[in-house]
Amino acid sequence: LERTLSIVKPDAVEKNHTGAIIARLEQEGFIVRAMKRVHLTRAEAEGFYAEHRGRGFFDELCSFMSRSPIVIMALEREDAIAKYREVIGATNPANAAEGTIRKLYAASVGENAVHGSDKPESAAREIAYFFAGYEVS
Ligand code: ATP
């Protein structure tokens, strides 16, 4: 089975959509292997998104991700990375398919409700960024 790193972003936590999003992911066959709610510092957000440093939206993205708490999960499923990206929908909710998490809960490309890893190497790095080995079971 494959793992992916999932984040319920500040906008979705603020609107109390955390439970609905986790319920949907469980319905889609994902197993929660680790989970926590944290309020990132700006430096922690910058470290997580280091690969986007230098892009036009980097400052906005890191301010947003550190403005209020997020819920982080390590999820497991067959074909988890691709399946998760299918369930959350396009990065810009305006382009997201009907019924996807971003179509249902996201307001804009900047505040798009959830994050998911884009490939296995990213998933491994991202899970290790937020969870110690003993926290993932
Ligand atoms: P994620 O990594 O969160 O799953 P993604 O892989 O679909 O998103 P990326 O292109 O990697 O999208 O961008 C990472 C995040 O940066 C996006 O989820 C979004 O929150 C933010 N972002 C991307 N493009 C823009 C933009 N033009 N303006 C503001 N924020 C943006």
Side-chain angles (χ1 to χ4, degrees), residues 84-129:
Y84 181 92
R85 296 185 73 83
E86 180 189 315
V87 172
I88 66 174
T91 305
N92 186 341
N95 303 326
E98 284 303 323
T100 60
I101 288 174
R102 281 171 168 159
K103 184 71 173 185
L104 290 168
Y105 303 118
S108 68
V109 66
E111 304 204 0
N112 62 0
V114 284
H115 164 83
S117 308
D118 64 354
K119 53 183 188 286
E121 309 83 76
S122 311
R125 182 187 67 79
E126 292 172 1
I127 291 169
Y129 188 80

Side-chain angles (χ1 to χ4, degrees), residues 16-86:
N16 269 0
H17 293 319
T18 307
I21 290 170
I22 296 171
R24 172 65 181 279
L25 292 167
E26 286 193 319
Q27 279 163 18
E28 299 284 357
F30 291 91
I31 307 295
V32 178
R33 291 296 184 195
M35 176 162 65
K36 61 183 164 189
R37 174 184 179 278
V38 293
H39 189 165
L40 297 183
T41 64
R42 170 137 191 141
E44 288 162 351
E46 288 179 2
F48 179 71
Y49 282 117
E51 68 184 298
H52 294 312
R53 191 179 285 281
R55 291 174 75 176
F57 58 81
F58 182 75
D59 271 4
E60 177 190 333
L61 176 61
C62 294
S63 297
F64 165 60
M65 289 300 287
S66 57
R67 93 175 172 208
S68 63
I70 60 176
V71 173
I72 311 171
M73 291 172 279
L75 301 177
E76 193 169 82
R77 187 191 188 282
E78 187 182 340
D79 205 15
I81 293 171
K83 178 65 181 178
Y84 181 92
R85 296 185 73 83
E86 180 189 315

